[in-house]
Every structure is written in C-alpha cells, then in structure tokens.
C-alpha cells in the first residue's frame, strides 16, 4: 500500500533483536544500500523521518519513517517515490502517515497476541510441572512411609524382635525402595 501511495517502492524494517531486519518490500528486495541502512537506523533511533527528501541523510534511496507504538519505536517504513525528485504532496504525506500509524497498531496487536500465547504456554508448562511433582510426591509418599515405619521399628524394637520379624522388615524396606524407583 505504501508503494502504491507514493507510486514507487517501499520497504518495512522491524526490530529483530538489537537491529532492524527487512520484513517486507515492494518490489521485493533482499538488501539495502549502506546509506539506506544508516537512514533507517537514524529514523528508528530518533523517531523522526530520515533519508530521501529529508535534511537527514538525503542521499538514501528511501525516506524512512518510524513505526511508533505505545511501547515505542518498532521499526521503520521506507518509501521511494517513482520519480527521484518527486516531492510528496501533503495528501500523499498524510495518507502515508495514516498507513504507518495503522501499521503500528496492527504490529503491536500481533506482538501482544504472540506474548499472550507465550504467557499461556508458560502457564500450561507450570501446570504440567506442578501436576508432575504432585504425582511424583504422591507416588513416593507410600513407599517412603513404609520405609520410615520399618526403619523406626528396627531402631526402637530391633533387639526385642525375632530374627524373622527383623528380616521381614528389611524385605519390606528393600521392596519399597524398588517400588519407589519404578
């Protein structure tokens, strides 16, 4: 839409980590000139237009305008009018700025949906972790109770018990340990 509005070309650069990355372009491009990258970064960092048809880095092929959301700068949109010396009319300029503002809202909503999805996934992971720990705790509780009971009986009554009873308690301890490991 931006390319059609200026009757030329456009490129969208969004934050990717600490730098900008090409997300979309019309006509399609894979790279930009050094002067365009400099103008794009300047517009991103300062929140002001830079590049072609501006007083900041005018040698760039594109004029870059920041995409600013409620969370701050998200990237830039670069436009290059069809004719190199063409000045953007006030109508085209206003339409372009309206598109950029709408793009900022759409991008912010997309990022919020992604963040909500990540938060939901984290909640689900925490639920699963809690259920696993609860199950593990429950599965170990019975064998541990038997082991503790048998050890306590051996310690307090071991000398007063028959050899067969002591052997039974040791077998119980051994069996419960193996049950707890399964």
């Amino acid at each position: 839409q931006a390319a059609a509005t200026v009757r030329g070309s456009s490129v969208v650069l969004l934050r990717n980590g600490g730098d900008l990355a090409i997300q979309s372009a019309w006509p399609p491009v894979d790279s930009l000139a050094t002067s365009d990258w400099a103008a794009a970064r300047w517009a991103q960092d300062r929140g002001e237009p830079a590049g072609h048809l501006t007083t900041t880095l005018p040698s760039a092929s594109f004029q870059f305008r920041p995409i600013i959301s409620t969370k701050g700068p998200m990237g830039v949109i670069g436009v290059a009018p069809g004719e190199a010396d063409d000045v953007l009319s006030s109508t085209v300029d206003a339409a372009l700025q309206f598109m950029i503002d709408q793009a900022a809202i759409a991008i912010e909503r997309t990022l919020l949906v992604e963040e909500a999805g990540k938060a939901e996934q984290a909640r689900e992971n925490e639920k699963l972790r809690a259920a696993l720990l609860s199950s593990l705790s429950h599965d170990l509780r019975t064998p541990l109770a038997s082991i503790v009971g048998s050890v306590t009986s051996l310690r307090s009554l071991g000398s007063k018990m028959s050899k067969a009873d002591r052997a039974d308690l040791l077998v119980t301890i051994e069996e419960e340990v193996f049950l707890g490991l399964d």
Side-chain angles (χ1 to χ4, degrees), residues 64-128:
F64 291 95
R65 295 183 180 202
I67 303 170
I68 301 174
S69 75
T70 58
K71 294 184 176 189
M74 306 167 78
V76 294
I77 292 180
V79 294
E83 296 179 26
D85 295 329
D86 194 16
V87 176
L88 297 178
S89 71
S90 60
T91 305
V92 169
D93 190 64
L96 184 60
Q97 192 57 50
F98 178 76
M99 274 190 276
I100 292 169
D101 293 342
Q102 293 303 307
I105 291 168
I107 293 167
E108 185 173 31
R109 284 183 181 163
T110 301
L111 294 175
L112 288 172
V113 167
E114 286 176 10
E115 287 174 16
K118 288 178 184 176
E120 180 61 28
Q121 183 65 39
R123 278 192 296 278
E124 289 298 320
N125 287 345
E126 184 56 32
K127 280 183 184 177
L128 181 61

Side-chain angles (χ1 to χ4, degrees), residues 14-21 23 44 73-74:
L14 296 179
R15 276 188 177 179
N16 186 6
D19 203 4
L20 295 171
Q23 297 297 312
Q44 163 74 19
M74 306 167 78

